[in-house]
Coordinates of all heavy atoms in Angstrom, one line a residue:
C43 N 78.8 124.1 163.8 CA 78.5 123.9 162.4 C 79.4 123.0 161.8 O 79.4 122.8 160.5 CB 78.4 125.3 161.7 SG 77.2 126.4 162.3
Y44 N 80.3 122.5 162.5 CA 81.4 121.7 161.9 C 80.8 120.3 161.5 O 80.3 119.6 162.4 CB 82.6 121.5 162.9 CG 83.7 120.7 162.5 CD1 84.4 121.2 161.2 CD2 84.2 119.6 163.2 CE1 85.5 120.4 160.8 CE2 85.3 118.9 162.8 CZ 85.9 119.3 161.6 OH 87.1 118.7 161.1
G45 N 80.9 119.9 160.2 CA 80.4 118.7 159.8 C 80.7 117.4 160.4 O 79.8 116.6 160.9
P46 N 82.1 117.0 160.6 CA 82.4 115.8 161.2 C 82.0 115.7 162.7 O 81.7 114.5 163.0 CB 83.9 115.9 161.2 CG 84.2 116.7 159.9 CD 83.2 117.8 160.0
L47 N 81.7 116.8 163.3 CA 81.2 116.7 164.7 C 79.7 116.1 164.7 O 79.4 115.2 165.4 CB 81.2 118.0 165.5 CG 80.7 118.0 166.8 CD1 81.7 117.1 167.7 CD2 80.8 119.4 167.4
F48 N 79.0 116.6 163.8 CA 77.6 116.0 163.5 C 77.7 114.6 163.1 O 76.9 113.7 163.5 CB 76.8 116.8 162.4 CG 76.3 118.2 162.8 CD1 76.8 119.2 162.2 CD2 75.4 118.2 163.9 CE1 76.2 120.5 162.6 CE2 74.9 119.5 164.3 CZ 75.4 120.7 163.6
F49 N 78.6 114.3 162.2 CA 78.7 113.0 161.7 C 79.1 112.0 162.9 O 78.4 110.8 162.9 CB 79.8 112.9 160.6 CG 79.9 111.5 160.0 CD1 79.1 111.1 159.1 CD2 81.1 110.8 160.3 CE1 79.2 109.9 158.5 CE2 81.2 109.6 159.6 CZ 80.2 109.1 158.8
S50 N 79.9 112.3 163.7 CA 80.3 111.3 164.9 C 79.1 111.2 165.8 O 79.1 110.2 166.6 CB 81.6 111.7 165.5 OG 81.4 113.0 166.2
E51 N 78.2 112.1 165.9 CA 77.0 112.0 166.8 C 76.1 111.2 166.2 O 75.2 110.5 166.8 CB 76.5 113.3 167.2 CG 77.3 114.3 167.9 CD 76.7 115.5 168.3 OE1 75.7 115.8 167.9 OE2 77.4 116.5 168.8
V52 N 75.9 111.1 164.8 CA 74.8 110.3 164.2 C 75.0 108.9 164.1 O 74.1 108.1 164.2 CB 74.4 111.0 162.8 CG1 73.4 110.2 162.1 CG2 74.1 112.4 163.0
I53 N 76.3 108.4 163.8 CA 76.6 107.1 163.6 C 77.2 106.5 164.8 O 77.7 107.2 165.8 CB 77.5 106.9 162.4 CG1 78.9 107.5 162.8 CG2 77.0 107.4 161.2 CD1 80.0 107.1 161.7
L54 N 77.2 105.2 165.0 CA 77.8 104.5 166.1 C 79.3 104.4 165.9 O 79.7 103.5 164.9 CB 77.1 103.1 166.3 CG 75.7 103.2 166.7 CD1 75.1 101.9 166.9 CD2 75.5 103.9 168.0
A55 N 80.2 105.1 166.4 CA 81.6 105.1 166.2 C 82.3 105.4 167.4 O 81.8 106.2 168.2 CB 81.9 105.9 165.1
P56 N 83.5 104.9 167.6 CA 84.4 105.1 168.8 C 84.8 106.6 168.9 O 85.1 107.1 169.9 CB 85.5 104.3 168.7 CG 85.4 103.3 167.5 CD 84.2 103.8 166.8
E57 N 84.7 107.3 167.6 CA 85.1 108.7 167.6 C 84.1 109.6 168.4 O 84.6 110.8 168.8 CB 85.2 109.3 166.2 CG 86.3 108.7 165.3 CD 86.0 107.4 164.8 OE1 84.8 106.9 164.7 OE2 86.9 106.7 164.4
A58 N 82.9 109.1 168.7 CA 82.0 109.9 169.5 C 82.6 110.0 170.9 O 82.2 111.0 171.5 CB 80.6 109.1 169.6
L59 N 83.3 109.1 171.4 CA 84.0 109.3 172.7 C 85.3 110.0 172.6 O 85.7 110.7 173.5 CB 84.2 107.9 173.2 CG 83.1 107.2 173.8 CD1 83.5 105.7 174.3 CD2 82.4 107.8 174.9
A60 N 86.0 109.9 171.5 CA 87.5 110.5 171.4 C 87.3 112.0 171.3 O 88.1 112.7 171.9 CB 88.1 109.9 170.1
V61 N 86.4 112.5 170.5 CA 86.4 114.0 170.3 C 86.1 114.8 171.7 O 86.9 115.7 171.9 CB 85.3 114.4 169.3 CG1 85.1 115.9 169.0 CG2 85.6 113.7 168.0
P62 N 85.2 114.5 172.4 CA 85.1 115.2 173.8 C 86.2 114.9 174.7 O 86.5 115.7 175.3 CB 83.8 114.6 174.3 CG 83.4 113.4 173.6 CD 84.0 113.4 172.3
L63 N 86.9 113.7 174.6 CA 88.0 113.5 175.5 C 89.3 114.3 175.0 O 90.0 114.9 175.8 CB 88.3 112.0 175.4 CG 87.5 111.0 176.2 CD1 87.8 109.6 176.0 CD2 87.4 111.5 177.6
Y64 N 89.4 114.5 173.6 CA 90.5 115.4 173.2 C 90.2 116.8 173.6 O 91.1 117.6 174.0 CB 90.5 115.3 171.7 CG 91.1 114.0 171.2 CD1 90.6 113.5 169.9 CD2 92.1 113.3 171.8 CE1 91.1 112.2 169.5 CE2 92.6 112.1 171.4 CZ 92.1 111.7 170.1 OH 92.6 110.4 169.7
A65 N 88.9 117.2 173.5 CA 88.6 118.6 173.8 C 88.8 118.9 175.3 O 89.4 119.8 175.7 CB 87.1 118.9 173.5
A66 N 88.5 117.9 176.1 CA 88.7 118.0 177.6 C 90.2 118.1 178.0 O 90.7 118.7 178.7 CB 87.9 116.9 178.4
A67 N 91.0 117.2 177.1 CA 92.4 117.1 177.4 C 93.0 118.4 177.1 O 93.9 118.9 177.7 CB 93.0 116.0 176.6

Side-chain angles (χ1 to χ4, degrees):
C43 296
Y44 184 58
L47 185 61
F48 284 119
F49 183 72
S50 68
E51 290 178 10
V52 175
I53 64 167
L54 297 177
E57 289 82 15
L59 289 175
V61 174
L63 289 175
Y64 290 144

